[in-house]
């Protein structure tokens, strides 16, 4: 199956407040969102049970990170010290932390992390199409 991959995804959610300090507009004020975060893996092989990576394990890793942000003011958390709490930076946070916490080959197979601020707006972080 050269050139083909299996793609799996899991989502978690968290409710949090934040403000964008360097933004000119209403998002500069403290406000909240019900964020949804998604992690997407692409893997080339299946294990003996016919799965690329266990959905339960992916969701558990994602929920552990989301739980640390739930019902918090993101601007006050050490994870975002000196960093704007935009959806883009939250997506990067999830991507970097999942790369550290997932076992191989799932960690290397992490395609992206995507954070929705609303049902119609999201930001994602991951490697470019060329892997750089």
């Amino acid at each position: 199956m050269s050139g083909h991959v299996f793609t799996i995804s899991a989502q978690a959610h968290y409710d949090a407040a934040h403000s964008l300090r360097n933004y000119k507009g209403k998002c500069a004020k403290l406000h909240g969102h019900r964020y949804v975060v998604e992690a997407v893996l692409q893997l080339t092989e299946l294990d003996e049970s016919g799965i690329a990576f266990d959905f339960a394990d992916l969701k558990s890793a994602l929920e552990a990170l989301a739980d640390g942000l739930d019902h918090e003011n993101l601007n006050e958390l050490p994870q975002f010290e000196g960093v704007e709490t935009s959806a883009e930076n939250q997506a990067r946070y999830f991507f970097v932390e999942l790369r550290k916490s997932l076992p191989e080959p799932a960690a290397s197979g992490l395609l992206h992390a995507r954070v929705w601020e609303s049902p119609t707006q999201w930001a994602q972080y991951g490697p470019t199409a060329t892997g750089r």
Side-chain angles (χ1 to χ4, degrees):
M1 293 213 305
S2 176
H4 293 83
V5 295
F6 299 97
T7 303
I8 67 163
S9 168
Q11 293 183 349
H13 68 270
Y14 54 104
D15 298 296
H18 78 137
S19 60
L20 299 176
R21 294 175 293 263
N22 295 307
Y23 182 79
K24 304 296 183 234
K26 64 183 182 178
C27 291
K29 296 180 181 178
L30 187 65
H31 63 284
H33 297 280
R34 180 175 185 83
Y35 291 101
V36 174
V37 58
E38 176 184 43
V40 178
L41 303 179
Q42 284 192 333
L43 299 162
T44 58
E45 303 292 328
L46 300 179
D47 68 14
E48 60 280 354
S49 60
I51 63 172
F53 189 74
D54 193 327
F55 285 120
D57 292 342
L58 180 56
K59 186 166 185 169
S60 177
L62 196 56
E63 285 178 339
L65 293 170
D67 285 350
L69 307 183
D70 193 42
H71 286 78
E72 296 285 351
N73 178 345
L74 301 179
N75 298 78
E76 297 175 351
L77 296 179
Q79 297 94 310
F80 298 104
E81 186 175 340
V83 177
E84 287 285 4
T85 56
S86 63
E88 292 87 344
N89 280 327
Q90 290 176 58
R92 177 171 39 196
Y93 165 74
F94 281 101
F95 183 88
V96 169
E97 294 304 312
L98 284 169
R99 274 271 171 101
K100 292 178 191 174
S101 66
L102 291 173
E104 289 298 344
S108 295
L110 183 60
L111 182 63
H112 65 255
R114 182 179 289 175
V115 172
W116 276 268
E117 265 194 0
S118 76
T120 59
Q121 299 173 167
W122 55 262
Q124 78 178 30
Y125 184 84
T128 63
T130 60
R132 287 186 265 158

